[in-house]
């Protein structure tokens, strides 16, 4: 069965600190996609990144970076120099290729204080 | 602007009543989804539809029903059989996985249902 675990329920940091959100997944599929979504207070989830299971290159986009390690089944998300606008709930998600079911973790609520 | 519109944003229901949540998209996506969000539990899939006139149960379909008569619309009915319907409901659609698309989900702003 597929499963996504985000062990950190809430994280609180002060602005400009770096913060890493952990994600561990389980799947028997050999090919799959991993995603991160951001849910601001408005409620709608916003797509941040997708990673294919065969591409373990880390990715950086501005202050955001993602570390995908297949050996540990982890797909961690780091925000560098956090800002108040980064305050949101962040979800890690998993889907097999060609499938229609995306499995979400429980989410990590990030508070960034000024 | 293209996107997903959910209505109403807030809804109150008495026990024993059915309610229907609206979801409309103008993104021309074939696939649409309904998720339920409860505090500390992430999102759980209720129903999904890959094409018009076809839909499948997700992980928690009991007490819910859907229809997909038009590509743009995927309404969700919360029936009186749903034992604990108070939750935040999110509708989504997805792009195909063919490049340059990534198959990610596009979400509406959600509907918060409270049973009194």
């Amino acid at each position: 069965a597929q499963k996504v675990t985000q062990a950190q329920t809430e994280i609180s940091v002060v602005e400009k600190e770096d913060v890493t959100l952990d994600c561990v997944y389980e799947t028997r599929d050999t090919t799959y996609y991993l995603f991160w979504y951001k849910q601001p207070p408005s409620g709608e989830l916003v797509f941040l990144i997708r990673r294919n299971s065969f591409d373990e290159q880390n990715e950086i986009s501005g202050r955001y970076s993602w570390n995908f390690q297949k050996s540990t089944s982890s797909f961690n998300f780091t925000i560098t120099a956090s800002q108040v606008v980064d305050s949101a709930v962040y979800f890690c998600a998993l889907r097999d290729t060609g499938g229609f079911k995306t499995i979400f973790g429980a989410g990590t609520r990030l508070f960034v204080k000024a | 602007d293209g996107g997903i519109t959910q209505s109403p944003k807030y809804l109150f229901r008495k026990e024993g009543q059915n309610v229907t949540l609206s979801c409309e998209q103008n993104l021309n996506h074939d696939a649409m989804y309904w998720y339920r969000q409860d505090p500390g539990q992430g999102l759980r899939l209720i129903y999904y539809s890959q094409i018009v006139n076809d839909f499948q149960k997700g992980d928690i379909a009991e007490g819910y029903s859907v229809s997909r008569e038009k590509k743009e619309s995927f309404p969700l009915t919360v029936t009186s059989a749903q034992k604990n319907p108070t939750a935040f409901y999110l509708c989504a659609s997805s792009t195909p996985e063919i490049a340059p698309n990534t198959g990610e989900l596009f979400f509406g702003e959600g509907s918060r249902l409270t049973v009194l």
Side-chain angles (χ1 to χ4, degrees):
Chain A
Q2 295 182 323
K3 185 178 178 182
V4 176
T5 301
Q6 294 179 256
Q8 304 150 309
T9 305
E10 289 186 0
I11 300 175
S12 184
V13 299
V14 177
E15 213 171 15
K16 296 184 184 176
E17 281 186 25
D18 298 347
V19 58
T20 296
L21 309 181
D22 298 332
C23 173
V24 174
Y25 63 93
E26 295 175 29
T27 182
R28 292 180 182 173
D29 297 320
T30 54
T31 57
Y32 49 88
Y33 295 126
L34 293 163
F35 299 83
W36 274 96
Y37 289 88
K38 174 182 180 179
Q39 185 179 38
S42 60
E44 66 184 287
L45 276 75
V46 177
F47 165 77
L48 295 178
I49 190 172
R50 183 193 82 168
R51 234 4 175 192
N52 300 333
S53 55
F54 50 83
D55 180 4
E56 287 194 66
Q57 270 194 332
N58 291 329
E59 182 156 341
I60 299 174
S61 176
R63 296 184 297 107
Y64 295 171
S65 62
W66 291 269
N67 185 319
F68 175 31
Q69 292 197 340
K70 217 166 173 178
S71 60
T72 56
S73 297
S74 65
F75 186 43
N76 297 338
F77 173 29
T78 297
I79 301 175
T80 303
S82 59
Q83 299 176 1
V84 173
V85 293
D86 295 327
S87 297
V89 181
Y90 291 87
F91 290 95
C92 181
L94 166 70
R95 196 184 79 226
D96 58 352
T97 56
F100 285 87
K101 289 181 65 173
T102 301
I103 307 299
F104 286 82
T108 297
R109 184 177 295 276
L110 174 65
F111 295 98
V112 181
K113 296 178 285 190
Chain B
D1 281 359
I4 296 183
T5 302
Q6 288 187 241
S7 63
K9 196 161 186 173
Y10 299 95
L11 185 60
F12 297 89
R13 183 195 99 174
K14 292 182 181 178
E15 282 193 25
Q17 287 182 335
N18 291 355
V19 293
T20 297
L21 307 180
S22 169
C23 177
E24 302 280 329
Q25 56 106 351
N26 60 4
L27 299 168
N28 200 32
H29 291 165
D30 287 316
M32 296 188 73
Y33 312 78
W34 274 104
Y35 284 90
R36 170 180 171 142
Q37 183 177 12
D38 295 283
Q41 291 195 48
L43 279 68
R44 292 181 290 167
L45 184 64
I46 305 172
Y47 267 98
Y48 63 101
S49 168
Q50 300 174 38
I51 56 172
V52 175
N53 293 322
D54 184 58
F55 49 83
Q56 284 81 39
K57 293 182 180 180
D59 300 317
I60 55 165
E62 186 176 348
Y64 299 97
S65 66
V66 293
S67 63
R68 187 83 188 278
E69 296 175 3
K70 298 187 300 182
K71 187 175 186 177
E72 303 79 22
S73 179
F74 191 40
L76 173 74
T77 297
V78 185
T79 75
S80 56
Q82 168 50 233
K83 291 184 171 55
N84 185 20
T86 295
F88 188 55
Y89 291 89
L90 285 156
C91 179
S93 65
S94 67
T95 65
E97 293 177 9
I98 303 168
N101 300 304
T102 62
E104 78 268 23
L105 294 166
F106 289 75
F107 285 87
E109 290 193 339
S111 293
R112 189 168 297 280
L113 172 63
T114 302
V115 173
L116 303 172

